[in-house]
Every structure is written in structure tokens, then in C-alpha cells.
Amino acid sequence: MPEASPNRPAPVRPRTPKPRTRRGQDTRDSLIKAAEAVIGEVGFAAASIADITRRAGIAQGTFYIYFQSKDEVFRELVLEMGKLTRGFLADAVADAPDRLTAERRGLRAFLSFVAERPALYNIVMEARFVAPDAYRAYYTTFARGYAQNLAAAAHEGEIRDGDAEVRAWALMGMAVTLGERFAIWESEVDPDALVTEVFDMLERGLRP
């Protein structure tokens, strides 16, 4: 099997089974959190397994009980980001009375999430080059559920009819770039004022 270059992970292998004991799960979680911190700070290529286990306070050999490689733990982080983001946003919009309110609350929650977890956000961005299949799965999974919600809202008359898939990807792209610009590059911006400006454009359009 060919070895990975410093900037590209090894070929994908089956995922290591998750531990069955609580102690094992806690150890695995500690390694994932440490990997998030290390890879988020220095990037995939510069991070090492030794750095990750040192940050977790765990012996280096223990790493291989839970993950086969740095590539595998990186992919787990991308999956974790997807689950956390979807769960966080679902909770934020759970009691919204209509779709436009849900969109407003969802964008505000996403900006908060990015500001709180910049390392994890950076990992997803790097996955575009390190693990493009995981990167694509992250967004397509998110878009699938998003489009279903938009289509349902259009059916209920909460928003006008349109291509739900195109709308989902457009709204996702806007949120991602806004998060990078205003939650990572410049975190002093008032997020509520930002969301108000965005929704003035969404609800009224650009036509004078």
C-alpha cells in the first residue's frame, strides 16, 4: 500500500470500531478533542500523532487502539463537525414559528458556533484538500436535509416556490463565507446587526 505524502493522507481504510466501554469512549473522545485543537491550530500536514497524544495526555501507543492513522482521526473530526453543526442548528430553530424565522435564527446560531469552535471550522475547510470525499459528504448531507425543510416550507406557503436544492446550497454558501469573514477573521462585529442586514437582502432582494 503506498504511503501518504506529508500533505496527503494515506488511502482510505475501514474505520476502527468504536470502543464498547465508557472508559474507552472517553479516551477516544479525548483524542478527538486533542486532534481538533492541534490540527485546527497548525493544519493537517504539520500536526503529528505525538502532538495529538501529548495534548490529550495519553500514551502515543494508545492512539492506535482507537485510530489507524492521523488520516482516520481527521475524517472523524469532519464527521463530528457535521453532527455537531446539524444538532446545534436544529436545536436553535426547533420552535421557530415559520421558515423565515428559522432561517434568521439558524444563521445567528451558525455564526455563534463558528466563533466558539474556530479550530473545527478550519478543519472542515482543510478537508477540501486533505479528504475531499469527507468534505463533499459533509456538505451534501447538510444540503439534503436543508432542501427538504425549504421544500416543506414552500409547500406550506411560508416561502414562495423555487428550486429547494439551489436555495439550500446558496444559503449554505452565504453562511459559510459570512462565518469566515465575520466570526473568524473579525469577531468584533455585532452578529445581530449582521443577521438583520442579511435578512433585509433575503426578504426584500436587491431590486430598488
Side-chain angles (χ1 to χ4, degrees):
M1 183 175 290
E3 294 182 355
S5 71
N7 295 309
R8 297 184 64 186
V12 179
R13 292 179 288 183
R15 293 166 62 187
T16 304
K18 292 186 177 181
R20 297 181 179 180
T21 66
R22 180 63 186 177
R23 181 177 180 181
Q25 185 61 53
D26 288 344
T27 301
R28 186 179 186 276
D29 291 345
S30 295
L31 287 167
I32 289 178
K33 290 178 182 177
E36 174 188 340
V38 172
I39 298 175
E41 288 171 7
V42 304
F44 179 84
S48 70
I49 290 173
D51 293 331
I52 293 169
T53 54
R54 189 180 305 113
R55 181 70 68 96
I58 294 170
Q60 186 170 345
T62 303
F63 178 92
Y64 295 99
I65 298 174
Y66 301 97
F67 302 103
Q68 298 179 53
S69 62
K70 185 174 68 170
D71 170 50
E72 185 179 0
V73 76
F74 182 86
R75 290 170 182 276
E76 286 296 318
L77 284 170
V78 177
L79 292 174
E80 182 75 3
M81 177 64 169
K83 293 175 185 176
L84 285 174
T85 306
R86 292 192 299 271
F88 188 83
L89 296 182
D91 289 344
V93 306
D95 60 347
D98 55 63
R99 190 65 221 174
L100 288 176
T101 302
E103 291 295 324
R104 182 184 291 270
R105 292 181 183 177
L107 178 58
R108 179 65 179 83
F110 179 76
L111 294 173
S112 296
F113 184 81
V114 171
E116 293 170 5
R117 304 291 291 271
L120 206 50
Y121 183 87
N122 289 337
I123 286 166
V124 173
M125 294 299 99
E126 189 172 15
R128 180 178 182 181
F129 307 101
V130 175
D133 58 327
Y135 177 84
R136 182 168 181 168
Y138 170 86
Y139 281 110
T140 54
T141 300
F142 198 105
R144 190 178 302 116
Y146 202 166
Q148 290 173 352
N149 289 335
L150 290 171
H155 180 73
E156 293 296 325
E158 296 177 2
I159 58 176
R160 63 186 178 86
D161 289 334
D163 190 314
E165 183 179 8
V166 171
R167 288 176 170 182
W169 283 97
L171 290 166
M172 284 165 50
M174 179 184 67
V176 168
T177 52
L178 287 170
E180 188 167 29
R181 170 64 176 83
F182 294 107
I184 292 181
W185 293 357
E186 185 181 348
S187 58
E188 299 303 317
V189 175
D190 179 358
D192 293 318
L194 173 62
V195 171
T196 296
E197 182 66 26
V198 169
F199 273 83
D200 177 72
M201 179 184 70
L202 283 179
E203 294 176 347
R204 300 173 62 190
L206 297 175
R207 189 183 300 275

